[in-house]
C-alpha cells in the first residue's frame, strides 16, 4: 500500500468508487481508496438499484439524467457491464391532487431534457399488465427510468478508477485520523498513509469516522427490506420487461426480477439498528427478515399487484441502510475540519454518478458546477445531531400518503432552536414554522382557535391573515422577530483588510456604515450575501441568511484563517427585531427618549447606516435598511435583553397601531418591493451580473467552464389564478421551458402575483411575455422593469 496520496477515499461502495473514478476524469492522480471489508460491502450490494428521474425538486432530476447518461459511456470505456435495465417507470396516480403534483414534475423534466408524460389507466395497464387499475387515474411515465445492478456498477467504477491510476485496498480498516497541520496522518490495519485530502464515503460507518474528528453527523441506520418472489407464469410469458411502478399513496414499489417480481415496501415505524455503534465484524451481512413489520404495506401492494400474493417468496433482503433527517445525502466539506470532505447518506434511488461528479469537482475546483446547497452537510449544523436524526427519520420514513403539497412544515424534531421571544409570541398567537432549526413566527392568529395545517394546491389557509399583516404594517408599523438570521462578529487590527479580501463589493468605510457584500465561490458564483455593519475601525458585524449559518461561518473562518482577526458566530447571542412601516421611526423614538445620542432623523441617521444606543433598558445597534419598501429599522440586541425590549416596543407601538407580523408577511413585502434573497433567489451558480447585483454592461464574464447561455434574475408579474408562483415552478417562452421560479407569492399592497425567476439573458427584457406553470396550469407572465434591489 502507498504511504502517501493526494486524496484518500475511505469506503469502497458505489459512492467511494464513483468518486475515485470522477476524480481521475478531472485529471487528478495519486488517489488511494481503502475499504474495511470488500468492495460493495455495506448497503451497496443489497440495494434494489432503482434509477428514477422524478423529483419534487429540480437538481435531483438534472443529476439523475447525468447518471443514466453515464452508464453506457462507462460500459464502453471499461468493458464492464453495469446491469442497467432501462425498463421505464410509472408513478401511479390514485388521488386527484397527484395529477397536479405530477404535471409540475413533467414541466420540470422538459427543462432538463428528460422524457416524462402523464398517461391514462389504459396505458398504465399496457406497461404493467399485472396491475389492478380499476381505481387508478393514470400515472406519470418516465421511459428513461429503470434499475441498475449496484455491484456491477461499483466494479465498473473501480475498473475505470484503477485505469486512471487509483490504488484500491480492501480489508484495510481505518483506525485513526490525525491532522498534522498540512496533511492527514491516517492509520489503517495495513499501515499508515499521509494524505493531503481525505473523503468520508463510508456509508453507514460515516458517523463513526466523523466522530474520530469530533463531528456528530445527523445520520442513523435502520433496517430496510425488499422481497423477491418465485417465478410467476404471467411474468415468464412476457415478451418485454415490466416497468418499475411506484405507489406513493400505498407506500411500495414493484418491478420485474428475472421471471418473478421484486417489491420494496415501507412501514410507519422504522427499526433502528447499531444505535451504539456498528459491530467491528459486520461487513456484508443481512438481518433476519421481519415481514410482520411491513404487513400493512405488503397487503396494500398485493391489492394493487395481485401476482405478488400468488407465488411464494424466494428471498427477503433485510439489510441496514443509512438515512438523514431529510432523506438527502450529506455532501461537501466537513465543517470545522480542514481538507476533509464527505459523501454519504444516500436514499431513494441510484443517483450517485451525478452526486459523486459534483463532489469530485468540489474537491478539484473548490466548488461544484451545480448549487448543492440542499445536500451540503453543513445545512443541519449546529443542531443536527444524531438525536435530531432519530426523531425526524422516525416520523418521515414511510412514504407520504398525501401528495407533495406546497408550504408544508416539518413536524418532527421541534423545537430545536428558539429565540428569547418564542413563548411570548406564541402567547400572542404566533403560528410557527422552522428555518434551519429555528422556530420562526410564520403568521399570527388572534382571538380564535389556531387553524389546522390545511394543505392543498389552492391558496393557503393563511393567505388572508398574511394580507392583513402586510396592510397593517404598511399603514402603521409591524414588529417581526428575525433572530434566526445568522450573525458573525469580526474584530482585530486586520479585520478590514481580511474582510476586504474575503468579500466582494465595497466595505463601509466609516463607523456606522452599512453595506451589502457578496461572498463569491471559487468559481465566481455568489456563495452568500452579507449585510456588513462597521461598528468601529476594527470591528464589524455581519448578518446573513439564517438557512446557511453553518456553511457561511465555515467559509468565512477559512478565508479569515491567516489574518489577525477574532471571528465569532454570535447568532444565538444576539436577537434581531425588525420594526417596519411609516410609524416605525415614531415608535422607536418613543422607546429612545432617554438616549440623547440616538437621533432617528434623516440628517443624523440616513438610510444604509447604523447607530449604537439604547432602547428602553437594552443596549442596541439599530440599522436602517429597506427590504420591504416600508422603511425598515433592524434592531440588534443581546439575547438577554430581547424580551424586555420587545415588551417596550409593543407598549409604545400599541397607540400607534403597530402589530406583530410573521415572516410570511415579510416575504410578501420584500417580494413586492423587489428584494431578492441570497440562497433562494440568488444561488451559488450565479455571477453578480447574472444576479443583477452589478450592471451587465460592465462585462463581467460568466463562471469558468459554463456551457450554457448566460442567465438573468428577473421579477415577473403573473396573471391571476387559483394559486401563486412557487419555488421551482417552470417558466416557459412560446411553449418551451426556459427557466425556474426561485420564489413567488402575492403582493398584498396591490401588486398581485409575483415571482423571482432565472431565465436566459436574451429574454430578460422588460415586457417579455412568458408563462409560469403553477401546479399544472400555465399562467401568463411578463418581465417587470427595474433591477432587483441588491
Amino acid at each position: 500500500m502507498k504511504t502517501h496520496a493526494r486524496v484518500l477515499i475511505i469506503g469502497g461502495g458505489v459512492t467511494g468508487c464513483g468518486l475515485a473514478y470522477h476524480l481521475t476524469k478531472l485529471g487528478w492522480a495519486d488517489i488511494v481508496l481503502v475499504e474495511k471489508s470488500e468492495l460493495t460491502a455495506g448497503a451497496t450490494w443489497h440495494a434494489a438499484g432503482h434509477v428514477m428521474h422524478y423529483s419534487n425538486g429540480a437538481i435531483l432530476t438534472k443529476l439523475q439524467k447525468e447518471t443514466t447518461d453515464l452508464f453506457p459511456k462507462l460500459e464502453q470505456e471499461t468493458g464492464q457491464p453495469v446491469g442497467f435495465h432501462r425498463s421505464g417507470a410509472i408513478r401511479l396516480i390514485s388521488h386527484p391532487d397527484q395529477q397536479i403534483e405530477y404535471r409540475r414534475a413533467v414541466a420540470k423534466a422538459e427543462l432538463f431534457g428528460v422524457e416524462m408524460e402523464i398517461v391514462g389507466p389504459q396505458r398504465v395497464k399496457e406497461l404493467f399488465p399485472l396491475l389492478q387499475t380499476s381505481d387508478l387515474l393514470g400515472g406519470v411515465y418516465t421511459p428513461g427510468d429503470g434499475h441498475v445492478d449496484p455491484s456491477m456498477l461499483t466494479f465498473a467504477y473501480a475498473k475505470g478508477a484503477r485505469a486512471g491510476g487509483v490504488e484500491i485496498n480492501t480489508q484495510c480498516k481505518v483506525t485513526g485520523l490525525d491532522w498534522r497541520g498540512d496533511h492527514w496522518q491516517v492509520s489503517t490495519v495495513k499501515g499508515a498513509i499521509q494524505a493531503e485530502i481525505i473523503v468520508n464515503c463510508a456509508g453507514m460507518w460515516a458517523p463513526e469516522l466523523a466522530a474520530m474528528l469530533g463531528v456528530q453527523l445527523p445520520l442513523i441506520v435502520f433496517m430496510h427490506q425488499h422481497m423477491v418472489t418465485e417465478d410467476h407464469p404471467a411474468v415468464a410469458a412476457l415478451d418485454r420487461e415490466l416497468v418499475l411502478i411506484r405507489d406513493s399513496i400505498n407506500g411500495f414499489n414493484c418491478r420485474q426480477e428475472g421471471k418473478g417480481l421484486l417489491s420494496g415496501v415501507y412501514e410507519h415505524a422504522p427499526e433502528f439498528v447499531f444505535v451504539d455503534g456498528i459491530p467491528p465484524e459486520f461487513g456484508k451481512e443481512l438481518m433476519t427478515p421481519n415481514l410482520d413489520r411491513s404487513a400493512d404495506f405488503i397487503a396494500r401492494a398485493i391489492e394493487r399487484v395481485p401476482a405478488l400474493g400468488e407465488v411464494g417468496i424466494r428471498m427477503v433482503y433485510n439489510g441496514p441502510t443509512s438515512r438523514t433527517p431529510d432523506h438527502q445525502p450529506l455532501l461537501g466539506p466537513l465543517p470545522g475540519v480542514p481538507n476533509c470532505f464527505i459523501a454519504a447518506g444516500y436514499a431513494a434511488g441510484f443517483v450517485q454518478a451525478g452526486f459523486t461528479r459534483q463532489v469530485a469537482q468540489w474537491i478539484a475546483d473548490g466548488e461544484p458546477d451545480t448549487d448543492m446547497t440542499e445536500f451540503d452537510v453543513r445545512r443541519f449544523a449546529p443542531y443536527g445531531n444524531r438525536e435530531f436524526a432519530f426523531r425526524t427519520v422516525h416520523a418521515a420514513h414511510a412514504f407520504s400518503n398525501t401528495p407533495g403539497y406546497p408550504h408544508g412544515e416539518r413536524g418532527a424534531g421541534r423545537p430545536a432552536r428558539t429565540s428569547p421571544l418564542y413563548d411570548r409570541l406564541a402567547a400572542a398567537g404566533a403560528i410557527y414554522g422552522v428555518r434551519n432549526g429555528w422556530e420562526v413566527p410564520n403568521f399570527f392568529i388572534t382571538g380564535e382557535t389556531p387553524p389546522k395545517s390545511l394543505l392543498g394546491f389552492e391558496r393557503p389557509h393563511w393567505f388572508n391573515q398574511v394580507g392583513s399583516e402586510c396592510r397593517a404594517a404598511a399603514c402603521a408599523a409591524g414588529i417581526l422577530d428575525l433572530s434566526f438570521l445568522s450573525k458573525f462578529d469580526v474584530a482585530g487590527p486586520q479585520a478590514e483588510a481580511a474582510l476586504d479580501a474575503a468579500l466582494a463589493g465595497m466595505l463601509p468605510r466609516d463607523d456606522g456604515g452599512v453595506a451589502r457584500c457578496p461572498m463569491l465561490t471559487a468559481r465566481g458564483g455568489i456563495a452568500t450575501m452579507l449585510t456588513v455593519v462597521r461598528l468601529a475601525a476594527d470591528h464589524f458585524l455581519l448578518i446573513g441568511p439564517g438557512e446557511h449559518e453553518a456553511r457561511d461561518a465555515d467559509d468565512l473562518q477559512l478565508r479569515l484563517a491567516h489574518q489577525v482577526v477574532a471571528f465569532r458566530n454570535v447568532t444565538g447571542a444576539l436577537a434581531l427585531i425588525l420594526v417596519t412601516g411609516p410609524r416605525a421611526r415614531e415608535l422607536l423614538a418613543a422607546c429612545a427618549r432617554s438616549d440623547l445620542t440616538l437621533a432617528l432623523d434623516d440628517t443624523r441617521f440616513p438610510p444604509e447606516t447604523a447607530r449604537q444606543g439604547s432602547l428602553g433598558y437594552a443596549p442596541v445597534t439599530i440599522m436602517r435598511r429597506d427590504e420591504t419598501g416600508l422603511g425598515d429599522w433592524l434592531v440588534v440586541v443581546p439575547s438577554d435583553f430581547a424580551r424586555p425590549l420587545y415588551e417596550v416596543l409593543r407598549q409604545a407601538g400599541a397607540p400607534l397601531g403597530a402589530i406583530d407580523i410573521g415572516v410570511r408577511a415579510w416575504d410578501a413585502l420584500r417580494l413586492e418591493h423587489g428584494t431578492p434573497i441570497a440562497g433562494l433567489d440568488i444561488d451559488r451558480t450565479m455571477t453578480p451580473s447574472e444576479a443583477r447585483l452589478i450592471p451587465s454592461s460592465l462585462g463581467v464574464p460568466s463562471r469558468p467552464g459554463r456551457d450554457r447561455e448566460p442567465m438573468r434574475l428577473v421579477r415577473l408579474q403573473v396573471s391571476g389564478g387559483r394559486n401563486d408562483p412557487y419555488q421551482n415552478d417552470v417558466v416557459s417562452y412560446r411553449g418551451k421551458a426556459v427557466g425556474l421560479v426561485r420564489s413567488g407569492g402575492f403582493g398584498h399592497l396591490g401588486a398581485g402575483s409575483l415571482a423571482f425567476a432565472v431565465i436566459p439573458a436574451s429574454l430578460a427584457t422588460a415586457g417579455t411575455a412568458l408563462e409560469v406553470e403553477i401546479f399544472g396550469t400555465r399562467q401568463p407572465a411578463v418581465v417587470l422593469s427595474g433591477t432587483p434591489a441588491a
Side-chain angles (χ1 to χ4, degrees), residues 354-370:
F355 278 130
T356 51
R357 188 187 70 79
Q358 296 294 328
V359 176
Q361 199 167 55
W362 216 328
I363 294 169
D365 299 338
E367 189 74 14
D369 63 15
T370 298

Side-chain angles (χ1 to χ4, degrees), residues 26 357-358 361-362 364-370 520-526 559 684-688 701-707:
L26 293 176
R357 188 187 70 79
Q358 296 294 328
Q361 199 167 55
W362 216 328
D365 299 338
E367 189 74 14
D369 63 15
T370 298
L520 301 184
T521 70
R523 298 172 64 86
I526 300 172
R559 295 170 191 235
R684 297 171 73 89
T685 69
M686 299 170 66
T687 65
S702 295
R703 295 187 300 105
R706 172 162 288 167
D707 59 357

Side-chain angles (χ1 to χ4, degrees), residues 207 210-211 213-219 330 334-335 377 382 384-388:
L213 306 173
V215 176
Q216 189 172 170
L217 294 178
L219 186 149
L330 304 175
L334 203 62
V377 63
N385 57 21
R386 283 172 59 80
E387 179 63 26
F388 178 76

Side-chain angles (χ1 to χ4, degrees), residues 331-337 339-342 362 366 376-378 554-555:
L331 307 177
L334 203 62
V337 183
N339 291 17
C340 180
F341 288 77
I342 186 170
W362 216 328
D376 195 312
V377 63
R378 296 166 291 184
D554 204 38
D555 286 348

Side-chain angles (χ1 to χ4, degrees), residues 487-492 499 530 540 542 549-550 552-558 560-561 563-570:
K487 285 89 68 180
F488 309 113
D489 187 279
V490 180
L499 287 175
L530 297 169
F540 296 84
L542 282 56
E549 173 195 342
D552 289 351
D554 204 38
D555 286 348
L556 281 167
Q557 284 181 291
L558 183 64
L560 302 177
Q563 306 293 332
V564 183
V565 297
F567 174 87
R568 291 187 301 142
N569 183 345
V570 292

